[in-house]
Each structure stands twice: as C-alpha cells, then as structure tokens.
Amino acid sequence: STFLQRAYDQILHDVCIESLPVAFAIDRGGIVGEDGATHQGAFDLTYLRSLPNMVVMAPKDENELRRMIVTALEHDGPVAFRYPRGIATGVKIEENIRPLPMGKGEIVKEGSDILILAIGSSVSESLDAHSQLAEEGIAATVVNCRFVKPIDKELICSLAKKIPRIITAEENVRQGGFGSAVLECLADEGIANFHIERIGLPDRFVEHGPQKLLRAKYGVDAATIVKAAKRLLDQQ
C-alpha cells in the first residue's frame, strides 16, 4: 500500500486515463504493526477512489480475496483490491471461485437498531461488535460492502432509510475513505434524518507497534464500534 503511493502518477496517467485492464493487488492495507510508521497502509482507499475508471475493493476473508482476484481478472478496466498484513481469518476454502457482482455488497447479519457498514478487515471487527451488542439486547445489521468504488448505493440507501443510526468501519484514514464515500452516497441520493459515526484512522501517522494494540489505540476495533453504537442509541 505504501509503496504504491510512489506510483500514483503512473496509475493515473498510464492506466486510468486509458482504462487499461490492470489489476493492483495491494498488500499491507491498513495497520501493519511492527513494520514501522512508513509502512502503515492508511491511505490507499482514499487515494485510489478519486481516480476515474478505477474499481476499489477489499475482502472480508480469504475466500472473498480469491473471488476478488477472479473479478479483477475478468474486468475490462483498472481494479485495485487491498488486503491486510497477517494471517487470514481461517474460513473453509471454497472450491468454486466465482466473480463478485460488480459494486454489490452483502448483508451478513440483520438487526433493526444499528446499521454497520464495513469494508475489508473491519468486517470481522464489526461481526465481533455485533455479538457483543447482541449480548446487551442491541440488534445490528452488518453489511460487508466489498466495494469502495463503485459503492452499492441501492443497498446502502435502502438500509439507511430503515435504520438511520449508521456506523461505517474501515482501516483507512477517515478523510476521503470508505466512510466519506458512504456520506457522499447518502447526500447524492437525498437521504436525510440519519446519524452517522465513522470508524477509521485519525488524521495522523500511525507509529510502530503490535497490530492489536494499535487498532485499540486508534479506535478501529470491535470495542470502538460497540461504543459508537451505544452513543448513537443514546441520541434518540
């Protein structure tokens, strides 16, 4: 992710302007831990989603990563998919690898109190938060959005109308990232009367340190999502 920052001009001029079928497999998306401050992959969702013709994806687990590879190879244009450093989630590997429907997310849990829109590795944190909230009688819908661009406007807007307490979760800076894409989507579609909290990395450089510790320190873990959900419910 950080090394691709050096190639931004080439992505724009040599790939996106001509809409060439180039697939960017971006390792170390998000907090990388003990590789140091220069290696934290905090900006790729932001700097890639601004480029015309670019598709931007992030998988929730290893099966979805395989599906995104197939999707990227079949797409006639630029595609980027980012995945985190570290071990995979440990799901059973599927034999049939099918491409994803372009720009479509999926509902993984349903509940009427809180809407959690998550991307990439933040989906697992959101599912953990869902379980913690359920223990306290709070029902959350969790959406694996999959695509930062094109964003699933139909799914997000339909859910926001029914569940106006919204949390976005990403391991990327909040400025211009996935949460910003959701806000833009809701504004462009004329959705109003909602409350939203964006979970993401703050406007600062993240230092060297263990991933779990840094996720807790900078508020991109399940505990932060739980606290945000409770704050939103208190606003009623």
Side-chain angles (χ1 to χ4, degrees):
S1 174
T2 57
F3 295 162
L4 193 61
Q5 291 165 188
R6 306 178 186 187
Y8 189 77
D9 188 58
Q10 284 77 21
I11 299 169
L12 196 161
H13 287 102
D14 300 336
V15 177
C16 287
I17 285 179
E18 296 182 75
S19 194
L20 298 178
V22 177
F24 297 93
I26 307 171
D27 184 22
R28 285 167 167 75
I31 290 175
V32 300
E34 292 153 306
D35 285 347
T38 58
H39 282 54
Q40 307 287 5
F43 308 104
D44 54 80
L45 298 184
T46 298
Y47 69 71
L48 289 171
R49 67 175 284 259
S50 64
L51 296 176
N53 298 323
M54 178 66 81
V55 172
V56 184
M57 307 181 285
K60 73 178 189 295
D61 58 33
E62 54 268 46
N63 274 325
E64 198 158 81
L65 174 58
R66 297 164 82 223
R67 293 187 69 185
M68 286 185 178
I69 293 171
V70 173
T71 305
L73 293 174
E74 291 192 357
H75 181 66
D76 187 22
V79 179
F81 52 95
R82 61 110 78 162
Y83 47 97
R85 180 193 183 201
I87 61 173
T89 57
V91 297
K92 183 179 179 181
I93 298 299
E94 298 173 353
E95 292 185 10
N96 182 26
I97 309 173
R98 296 165 288 111
L100 295 167
M102 185 59 65
K104 296 298 180 182
E106 62 168 353
I107 298 172
V108 290
K109 294 288 183 181
E110 295 192 56
S112 59
D113 296 323
I114 295 288
L115 173 59
I116 305 173
L117 305 172
I119 193 80
S121 59
S122 292
V123 175
S124 61
E125 296 290 343
S126 299
L127 290 172
D128 188 4
H130 173 277
S131 299
Q132 294 181 43
L133 291 167
E135 291 176 0
E136 301 187 41
I138 301 170
T141 287
V142 179
V143 180
N144 168 28
C145 288
R146 292 174 172 160
F147 291 84
V148 178
K149 184 182 180 183
I151 200 166
D152 194 340
K153 292 190 291 186
E154 182 179 352
L155 178 61
I156 289 172
C157 291
S158 64
L159 288 171
K161 291 175 183 177
K162 295 184 290 185
I163 313 170
R165 293 169 295 277
I166 306 166
I167 297 170
T168 65
E170 64 190 301
E171 207 164 291
N172 185 85
V173 290
R174 286 192 292 267
Q175 300 95 312
F178 169 67
S180 295
V182 171
L183 279 172
E184 292 164 17
C185 169
L186 295 173
D188 290 347
E189 297 301 310
I191 308 297
N193 301 317
F194 61 85
H195 297 280
I196 190 167
E197 288 220 19
R198 292 179 298 140
I199 304 298
L201 295 172
D203 185 21
R204 60 166 294 177
F205 291 105
V206 177
E207 72 272 25
H208 169 106
Q211 286 173 298
K212 186 175 181 180
L213 184 152
L214 292 175
R215 288 185 177 115
K217 177 177 179 178
Y218 291 105
V220 289
D221 60 354
T224 305
I225 296 171
V226 169
K227 291 175 184 176
K230 292 179 178 179
R231 282 196 299 271
L232 287 170
L233 288 170
D234 287 341
Q235 292 176 8
Q236 295 186 67

